[in-house]
């Protein structure tokens, strides 16, 4: 058995060593491309998922959101709740917000959206939308007559977008805002932000102080965002919050996005399966053809090997070993190529409508694909080798 | 050494039956050098294929060293060919991806011997057939006669009980042919090697001990 393998190995080595180098290189290259194809798409999908999650956490809801109980409009005693939460280890910060509907007017143009209030310094700790400012400045705590607008509200001056925005409001312009409770106020645009992320560009932000005066409330909140130092610990904190006596509705980012990310990713996963299956079929076909041509060309040699007493299995295995060799080389080159592609994309991420995405490489995924590629290649190589080696000796030699 | 009784081989091609061997009985003794002669199509190659376990007879019995080889499984036939028989084909039949030396020692490697022993034996044999200076040559770097001598060396590496050769000189000029035949003669005389050779050149006969004439599948 061991000796048989030794002979198979001997034949395989000589065949690789003395065979056509061009064919070998081409084979390795094709396998490497198939391998890249196999892992690239899933890793982009993974990257999209990661980006969506990160954006939800960074821009929309933090790791955990506290919301009013079902029958209530606001969370009461927001300050004391925030204080309690902030004392917990692992909590990076909290930010309480009010939210209300509003209509924006500028230059005879009208746009409805929603206004959120923030404590500017708290907000900076919890979310990252301040980093998306493309003009002007961030809010100060005491600003009462200034507002930050998302790019979807302001619109761009040089872009004709019809009635879907205010048609190019600039920093320093004054706009009128009608809140849902009927109060109308004039604000100076202090900053404009553009975050390529879901929904945020449709928001406007004013200070908490200003919002409380508009709504006529105090020490309440529509939501409190909580940022944690580590993702994945949300559930623990939910129980911690209950233990602290917080009876409000506590939602993790997962619940808050209500499976939207999950269902998006699921619809991708069908595509992933399809692309994986196609890649594997390609691998099978390519390797089958290569080994088939190879064995057909060497039919006579295979016959002679059998005639001089080399066992059929030894001959088949020598081809299987060659396939393994090409497969390993192809995977190695594929990993190298993939490494080059991903390191390029991490510097120049792909711009999706939802933001920049870089492929995420999961080791399990790579391992899985290495194994399936090897298994499929072995089968694809074995069949033609077996067919040829199984032929009658005289037929193989004399056709 | 070899006892053949009533050996037939019929090829079935659709509705046509070609009777290549029509019941041959024959005894070959140990140490003999036998020539099989006959017209083209008389069944010489077919006979040799049956004896060399490359084909399965339609009927009849072949005993080699008292062993009924028709009872062997495919695997056992392969092992029998490897360890007991040597076969030289009419066309040069050496493996193109292997050097002369590798070609020669491959069957020995297959028997499980240490590689270095195989290499040493291979070199010895190649020296004997006069190719000591062509060890690392590949097929396309060898002449026809040299290739045929490599094939002979390969057939001998496992010290076979019987050496079969099917028109080993058919593609060679007369001086190369002479070299091969001299080699056979020497092996037969010095090592008592049993040899069964197919040929259709009359002058080859003088090298062998006995000539068997085949005509239309009969002796
Ligand atoms: N695979 C085959 N299928 C059908 N008929 C065959 C096959 N092999 C040989 N024959 C027939 O069997 C007969 C004997 O063939 P064989 O090859 O043994 O002749 P030979 O004596 O070796 O001839 P040559 O001197 O030309 O080599 C021929 O009539 C040939 O046509
Ligand atoms: Mg013949």
């Amino acid at each position: 058995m061991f000796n048989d393998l030794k002979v198979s190995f001997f034949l395989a080595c000589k065949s690789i060593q003395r065979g056509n180098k061009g064919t070998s290189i081409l084979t390795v290259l094709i396998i490497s491309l198939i391998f890249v194809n196999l892992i690239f798409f899933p890793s982009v999908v993974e990257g999209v998922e990661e980006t969506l999650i990160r954006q939800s956490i960074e821009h929309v809801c933090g790791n955990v959101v506290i919301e009013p109980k079902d029958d209530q409009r606001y969370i009461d005693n927001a300050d004391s709740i925030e204080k309690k939460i902030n004392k917990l280890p692992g909590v990076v910060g909290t930010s309480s917000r009010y939210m209300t509907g509003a209509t924006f007017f500028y230059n005879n143009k009208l746009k409805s959206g929603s206004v959120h209030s923030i404590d500017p310094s708290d907000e900076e700790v919890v979310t990252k939308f301040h980093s998306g400012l493309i003009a002007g400045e961030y809010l100060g705590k005491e600003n009462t007559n200034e507002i930050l607008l998302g790019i979807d509200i302001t619109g761009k001056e040089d872009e004709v977008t019809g009635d879907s925005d205010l048609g190019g409001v600039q920093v320093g312009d004054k706009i009128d805002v009608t809140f849902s409770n009927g109060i109308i106020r004039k604000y100076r645009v202090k900053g404009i932000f553009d975050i390529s992320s879901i929904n945020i560009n449709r928001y406007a932000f004013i200070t908490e102080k200003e919002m409380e005066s508009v709504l006529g409330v105090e020490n309440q909140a529509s939501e409190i965002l909580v940022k944690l130092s580590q993702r994945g610990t949300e559930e623990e904190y939910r129980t911690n919050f209950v233990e602290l006596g917080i009876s409000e509705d506590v939602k993790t980012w997962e619940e808050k996005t209500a499976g939207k990310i999950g269902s998006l990713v699921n619809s991708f996963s069908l595509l992933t399966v399809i692309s994986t299956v196609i890649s594997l079929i390609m691998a099978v076909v390519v390797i089958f053809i290569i080994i088939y041509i190879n064995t057909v060309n060497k039919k006579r040699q295979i016959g002679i090997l059998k005639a001089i007493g080399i066992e059929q299995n030894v001959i088949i295995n020598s081809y299987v070993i060659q396939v393994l060799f090409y497969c390993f080389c192809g995977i190695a080159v594929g990993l190298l190529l993939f490494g080059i592609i991903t390191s390029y994309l991490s510097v120049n991420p792909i711009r999706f409508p939802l933001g920049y995405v870089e492929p995420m490489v999961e080791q399990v995924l790579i391992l899985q694909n290495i194994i399936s590629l090897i298994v499929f290649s072995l089968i694809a190589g074995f069949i033609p080798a077996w067919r040829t080696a199984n032929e009658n000796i005289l037929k193989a030699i004399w056709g | 050494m070899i006892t053949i009784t009533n050996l037939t081989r019929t090829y079935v091609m659709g509705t046509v039956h070609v009777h290549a061997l029509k019941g041959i009985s024959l005894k070959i003794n140990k140490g003999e050098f036998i020539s099989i002669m006959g017209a083209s199509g008389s069944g010489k190659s077919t006979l040799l294929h049956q004896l060399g376990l490359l084909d399965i007879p339609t009927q009849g019995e072949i005993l080699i060293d008292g062993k009924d080889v028709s009872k062997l499984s495919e695997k056992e036939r392969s092992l029998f060919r490897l360890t007991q028989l040597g076969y030289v084909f009419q066309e040069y039949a050496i493996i193109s991806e292997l050097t002369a030396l590798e070609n020669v020692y491959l069957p020995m490697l297959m028997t499980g011997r240490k590689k270095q022993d195989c290499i040493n034996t291979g070199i010895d044999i190649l020296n004997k057939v006069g190719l000591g200076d062509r060890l690392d040559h590949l097929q396309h770097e060898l002449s026809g006669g040299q290739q045929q001598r490599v094939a002979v060396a390969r057939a001998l590496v496992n010290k076979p009980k019987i050496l079969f050769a099917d028109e080993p000189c058919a593609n060679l000029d007369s001086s190369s042919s002479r070299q091969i035949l001299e080699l056979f003669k020497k092996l037969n005389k010095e090592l008592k090697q049993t040899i069964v050779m197919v040929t259709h050149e009359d002058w080859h006969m003088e090298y062998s001990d006995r000539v068997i004439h085949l005509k239309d599948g009969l002796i």
Side-chain angles (χ1 to χ4, degrees):
Chain A
M1 181 64 205
F2 178 72
N3 185 65
D4 285 2
L5 268 182
K6 207 172 79 181
V7 177
S8 300
F9 211 81
F10 174 78
L11 290 172
C13 287
K14 298 301 168 188
S15 187
I16 291 166
Q17 185 188 338
R18 309 229 169 86
N20 188 323
K21 295 282 179 306
T23 314
S24 301
I25 291 170
L26 220 60
T27 308
V28 168
L29 205 66
I30 290 171
I31 294 176
S32 71
L33 292 178
I34 288 171
F35 182 68
V36 169
N37 206 34
L38 217 42
I39 53 179
F40 183 69
F41 188 66
S43 70
V44 169
V45 171
E46 194 71 29
V48 167
E49 180 177 16
E50 172 59 23
T51 302
L52 288 174
I53 291 172
R54 209 183 50 232
Q55 285 181 347
S56 303
I57 292 174
E58 285 180 354
H59 301 316
V60 183
C61 56
N63 295 80
V64 178
V65 195
I66 298 168
E67 292 181 343
K69 278 174 272 186
D70 274 349
D71 52 346
Q72 282 180 1
R73 195 177 165 132
Y74 297 118
I75 300 164
D76 293 325
N77 289 321
D79 283 354
S80 80
I81 291 177
E82 281 190 87
K83 273 205 190 94
K84 280 189 211 165
I85 292 173
N86 273 314
K87 277 193 195 128
L88 288 173
V91 172
V92 177
T94 60
S95 170
S96 71
R97 291 171 165 189
Y98 290 101
M99 288 181 293
T100 181
T103 312
F104 310 97
F105 295 94
Y106 175 73
N107 237 351
N108 292 329
K109 287 205 166 194
L110 164 160
K111 163 96 182 160
S112 50
S114 72
V115 179
H116 293 223
S117 76
I118 52 169
D119 177 315
S121 51
D122 284 355
E123 186 70 23
E124 254 180 320
V125 177
V126 176
T127 72
K128 279 196 173 157
F129 91 85
H130 59 273
S131 65
L133 279 177
I134 53 168
E137 288 163 36
Y138 189 55
L139 287 175
K141 194 172 174 69
E142 300 301 322
N143 292 157
T144 50
N145 56 355
E146 290 180 309
I147 192 166
L148 299 181
L149 295 178
I151 189 89
D152 286 356
I153 298 174
T154 63
K156 287 175 190 148
E157 219 173 4
D158 50 354
E159 242 174 52
V160 186
T161 46
D163 292 329
S164 67
D165 57 46
L166 298 182
V169 175
Q170 299 292 307
V171 170
D173 290 343
K174 295 234 162 65
I175 66 164
D176 291 312
V177 179
T178 306
F179 291 92
S180 59
N181 61 2
I183 290 177
I184 302 175
R185 292 203 176 165
K186 197 177 266 305
Y187 293 102
R188 179 183 165 272
V189 177
K190 186 167 188 186
I192 296 170
F193 56 86
D194 182 4
I195 296 169
S196 47
S197 168
I198 16 177
N199 293 338
I200 310 292
N201 287 345
R202 300 210 308 256
Y203 291 171
F205 288 92
I206 56 176
T207 59
E208 186 171 285
K209 191 175 171 187
E210 171 63 11
M211 188 68 114
E212 287 187 337
S213 101
V214 169
L215 298 177
V217 292
E218 205 179 327
N219 194 18
Q220 291 182 312
S222 304
E223 60 179 16
I224 299 172
L225 313 188
V226 181
K227 176 152 169 102
L228 302 175
S229 61
Q230 239 188 325
R231 201 161 101 192
T233 55
E234 287 83 1
E235 288 298 334
E236 290 167 36
Y237 281 90
R238 190 213 297 272
T239 38
N240 286 343
F241 293 169
V242 174
E243 279 162 17
L244 285 176
I246 296 167
S247 58
E248 269 68 22
D249 219 357
V250 179
K251 287 183 178 155
T252 64
W253 61 264
E254 258 174 312
E255 294 162 338
K256 187 69 184 165
T257 55
K260 269 186 232 149
I261 297 177
S263 67
L264 190 73
V265 169
N266 274 344
S267 55
F268 271 130
S269 75
L270 179 66
L271 296 181
T272 309
V273 169
I274 293 172
S275 108
T276 303
V277 168
I278 291 176
S279 300
L280 286 177
I281 291 174
M282 262 161 60
V284 166
V285 170
V286 166
I287 289 167
F288 186 94
I289 291 174
I290 290 168
I291 298 299
Y292 180 76
I293 292 175
N294 209 334
T295 51
V296 165
N297 281 337
K298 291 192 190 147
K299 205 162 132 182
R300 192 175 135 79
Q301 276 208 14
I302 291 172
I304 290 164
L305 284 172
K306 281 175 75 177
I308 62 171
I310 308 296
E311 231 192 86
Q312 188 174 320
N313 285 340
V314 172
I315 299 167
I316 296 172
N317 285 341
S318 81
Y319 285 95
V320 169
I321 289 168
Q322 289 180 57
V323 169
L324 264 184
F325 173 79
Y326 289 131
C327 229
F328 278 123
C329 291
I331 288 168
V333 174
L335 282 173
L336 191 75
L337 282 178
F338 185 68
I340 293 171
I341 294 172
T342 44
S343 54
Y344 172 80
L345 288 179
S346 69
V347 181
N348 309 288
I350 312 166
R351 206 194 136 100
F352 276 74
L354 55 94
Y356 289 100
V357 171
E358 50 176 288
M360 285 253 304
V361 196
E362 270 193 85
Q363 261 154 34
V364 185
L365 178 92
I366 293 186
L367 207 66
Q368 251 173 19
N369 282 309
I370 289 179
I371 292 169
S372 49
L373 187 58
I374 290 175
V375 169
F376 278 84
S377 307
L378 284 184
I379 296 169
F382 176 82
I383 294 168
W386 177 82
R387 280 183 43 164
T388 316
N390 212 18
E391 246 190 80
N392 179 284
I393 295 176
L394 297 177
K395 247 201 197 141
I397 300 179
W398 287 284
Chain B
M1 174 109 263
I2 307 180
T3 313
I4 307 160
T5 341
N6 202 18
L7 192 69
T8 64
R9 176 67 170 101
T10 307
Y11 295 106
V12 181
M13 306 172 75
T15 54
V16 184
H17 290 230
V18 181
H19 302 281
L21 299 177
K22 298 173 180 165
I24 288 179
S25 298
L26 175 67
K27 243 186 163 92
I28 295 167
N29 300 314
K30 199 173 161 86
E32 265 193 305
F33 184 172
I34 296 211
S35 291
I36 299 175
M37 299 196 66
S40 182
S42 57
K44 306 182 295 291
S45 297
T46 307
L47 175 60
L48 215 60
H49 295 157
Q50 314 308 312
L51 298 180
L53 303 199
L54 300 180
D55 196 12
I56 296 171
T58 312
Q59 252 176 19
E61 199 180 49
I62 304 171
L63 296 179
I64 298 180
D65 250 4
K67 194 177 189 104
D68 184 354
V69 295
S70 62
K71 297 226 161 64
L72 298 177
S73 71
E74 193 55 45
K75 236 184 155 126
E76 289 165 334
R77 285 163 67 87
S78 182
L79 189 66
F80 198 90
R81 286 196 297 270
L82 179 72
T83 56
Q84 317 282 322
L85 310 177
Y87 208 104
V88 179
F89 296 93
Q90 176 179 342
E91 304 91 350
Y92 330 121
I94 70 176
I95 307 298
S96 61
E97 284 154 356
L98 302 180
T99 62
L101 177 59
E102 287 161 353
N103 259 287
V104 172
Y105 75 66
L106 174 66
M108 190 173 169
L109 199 64
M110 188 66 215
T111 63
R113 305 284 289 279
K114 271 216 257 41
K115 190 164 177 185
Q116 195 52 52
D117 293 348
C118 299
I119 292 174
N120 293 339
T121 310
I123 294 173
D124 266 3
I125 299 179
L126 278 170
N127 273 323
K128 275 193 199 127
V129 301
L131 289 173
D133 52 348
R134 296 284 188 277
L135 300 181
D136 295 324
H137 285 230
L138 291 167
Q139 182 182 30
H140 66 267
E141 297 159 345
L142 294 167
S143 75
Q146 289 169 336
Q147 286 183 40
Q148 203 59 305
R149 278 185 277 160
V150 171
V152 173
R154 183 181 63 193
L156 292 172
V157 75
N158 283 333
K159 303 198 169 55
K161 292 205 173 97
I162 309 145
L163 177 66
F164 297 104
D166 190 352
E167 305 195 35
C169 308
N171 295 313
L172 303 180
D173 59 33
S174 60
S175 84
S176 298
S177 297
R178 218 166 278 283
Q179 273 185 336
I180 297 281
L181 292 167
E182 291 291 349
L183 180 63
F184 281 7
K185 187 89 203 152
K186 206 171 105 192
L187 287 166
N188 178 249
K189 283 276 145 336
E190 292 174 7
L191 303 170
K192 299 273 173 287
Q193 178 69 55
T194 313
I195 299 174
V196 181
M197 179 178 76
V198 170
T199 180
H200 56 218
E201 300 259 6
D202 286 338
W203 63 271
H204 292 173
M205 287 193 306
E206 65 204 49
Y207 287 88
S208 56
D209 304 335
R210 175 151 71 106
V211 179
I212 294 167
H213 288 277
L214 220 55
K215 194 172 179 232
D216 292 335
L218 287 168
I219 294 178

